[in-house]
Amino acid sequence: MTKIIEESTKKRLHLPYLDGLRGLASLYIVLVHIEPSIEGQLPIMWSLFGETMKYGAFSVVIFIVLSGYVLMLPVARSENGQLSGSFMNYIKKRSRRILPPYYIILLICLLLTAIILGLEKFTDFQWNAEAGLGAFSPRFSLLDVLLKLLLVHNLDSNSYLTINPPIWTVATEWQIYFLFPLLLLPIWRRLGLFGIVIITFLIGLTPLYLLNGLFESANPWFLCIFCLGMAAADIGFSQKPKLVAIRNSLPWGWLAIIFTCLAVITEWRRLGLHIWINQTFAGLAFACLFISLTKSIIEDKKPSLILRILQHPLAIALGTFSYSLYLTHGPVLVFVRYFLFYLPISPDMFAAGCYLLGTVMSLIIAYWFYLFFERPFMSNFLKKRKIKDAVIS
């Protein structure tokens, strides 16, 4: 097994299941943010379906653990435990990948707001808050806009859920991008895997319990959940004898199932526990899942059912534009709901329309957004374009 891991560190590693998981998590978030009720009333069938849509936070946890895992992979597989290239090169890559689509969707939301406000001022139209219920609102302040431009809106409990609420996590992830090379990797190199997990737990929970919930809207415990992704990459590829023994001896698949059950149980809030607890269980579940699935791929074992699902071409294709789907689905769902709200249809048809039409339109708009505003800034696309330009010239 150790020899297999050593050989895998010498060649490019492709883990398509990560894209599939990212895509399915984004699709689930779309379903979670659909508002299918009228005046709070939802037909029983759709109410039961809605019960399965209460775990949207787990998808956000997936994104955070994924970020830690993906960013740590090249470090864990390197001989010196360092990022390849300079810090500025790392930040440029992260900026190019994250910021252009983020600012474009923010601009689009502001333009939509300007159109709505213009219609309200010059026509009889008035925005109906009930019809436009969901993850977009034309009611916000200039401070909300400024905080989102600076990517610090997640630190303000009044601003982080305005304009396009789902994008609050982009700010949290952006901030962690800076902490990864400047704080987390130095601690990891000095204190090791378990040291970094313990320290980030203390950092993440200090504002919650010692500073009267300061910055709670940013979910500061996500820093530790990010480190669980780092830990999964380290355990999966480390050549340190202790971590090799841990990788080969623990039942990672079963651990993923156990932590998933604990996360689901504690999400019910029947135990009166804070959300960081169930989100940490979820983070542990996905970290164990990554170790298990990657280990299975490296050892060339027969793919499990979950691996076959995550590596299905449709899931991988969805993962290709999952970031665009995450950014754009909020306003799309709201305008679909607004359109359906005034149609003479039954509550059942309204709910069905919200789910079906909302999901389809979210996927279509997201793919267009990806083609025009995300793909042109991706590293692979830029490399291909440079090669093509060089051949032409």
Side-chain angles (χ1 to χ4, degrees), residues 20-274:
L21 180 60
R22 187 183 290 112
L24 293 177
S26 296
L27 180 60
Y28 182 72
I29 284 183
V30 172
L31 296 174
V32 167
H33 286 154
I34 291 174
E35 299 287 349
S37 65
I38 299 177
E39 296 182 350
Q41 300 298 317
L42 194 61
I44 185 65
M45 181 187 73
W46 296 106
S47 181
L48 293 174
F49 178 73
E51 285 296 307
T52 66
M53 298 293 112
K54 60 188 297 184
Y55 303 103
F58 291 172
S59 289
V60 178
V61 171
I62 288 176
F63 297 145
I64 299 299
V65 179
L66 261 173
S67 290
Y69 188 75
V70 171
L71 291 180
M72 187 63 180
L73 270 179
V75 178
R77 300 177 72 214
S78 68
E79 296 181 356
N80 56 8
Q82 300 284 342
L83 279 174
S84 60
S86 65
F87 171 75
M88 288 306 300
N89 185 53
Y90 159 80
I91 291 299
K92 286 179 180 178
K93 288 182 178 179
R94 291 292 88 202
S95 300
R96 188 172 61 238
R97 183 68 184 90
I98 296 296
L99 296 186
Y102 169 83
Y103 283 121
I104 290 168
I105 192 58
L106 182 58
L107 176 61
I108 290 174
C109 289
L110 295 179
L111 291 175
L112 290 173
T113 298
I115 292 172
I116 292 170
L117 295 180
L119 290 173
E120 287 185 332
K121 184 174 182 179
F122 298 108
T123 70
D124 294 332
F125 173 81
Q126 290 296 313
W127 179 262
N128 185 331
E130 170 62 20
L133 184 64
F136 166 77
S137 173
R139 311 300 185 201
F140 52 84
S141 67
L142 289 177
L143 177 62
D144 296 331
V145 177
L146 178 61
L147 292 177
K148 281 182 167 56
L149 287 173
L150 297 176
L151 280 160
V152 293
H153 53 281
N154 61 325
L155 304 179
D156 185 273
S157 59
N158 296 318
S159 297
Y160 84 113
L161 290 181
T162 59
I163 307 178
N164 186 353
I167 65 175
W168 74 267
T169 61
V170 179
T172 295
E173 194 158 344
W174 174 246
Q175 292 151 17
I176 293 177
Y177 284 161
F178 285 88
L179 295 177
F180 175 63
L182 297 177
L183 176 67
L184 302 182
L185 284 182
I187 295 176
W188 169 74
R189 283 191 288 264
R190 187 170 184 82
L191 300 180
L193 171 62
F194 300 104
I196 184 64
V197 171
I198 292 172
I199 288 177
T200 51
F201 250 118
L202 295 176
I203 295 174
L205 297 181
T206 294
L208 189 63
Y209 293 106
L210 298 183
L211 300 177
N212 197 31
L214 183 66
F215 301 140
E216 185 173 358
S217 59
N219 290 26
W221 54 89
F222 274 3
L223 185 64
C224 179
I225 291 176
F226 177 90
C227 284
L228 294 178
M230 292 176 56
D234 196 13
I235 292 173
F237 293 94
S238 176
Q239 297 307 307
K240 298 175 183 177
K242 288 184 179 180
L243 294 185
V244 171
I246 291 174
R247 177 175 65 236
N248 294 332
S249 61
L250 293 182
W252 296 106
W254 283 107
L255 287 174
I257 294 173
I258 292 171
F259 285 127
T260 298
C261 292
L262 290 173
V264 171
I265 292 172
T266 52
E267 173 67 9
W268 289 345
R269 309 288 179 85
R270 293 177 179 176
L271 303 178
L273 301 175
H274 194 279

Side-chain angles (χ1 to χ4, degrees), residues 15 20 94 125 158 164 171 211 248 259 280 284 288 294 306 335 342 393:
L15 301 173
R94 291 292 88 202
F125 173 81
N158 296 318
N164 186 353
L211 300 177
N248 294 332
F259 285 127
T280 300
L284 285 167
C288 292
T294 300
I306 187 169
F335 283 103
Y342 290 101
S393 61

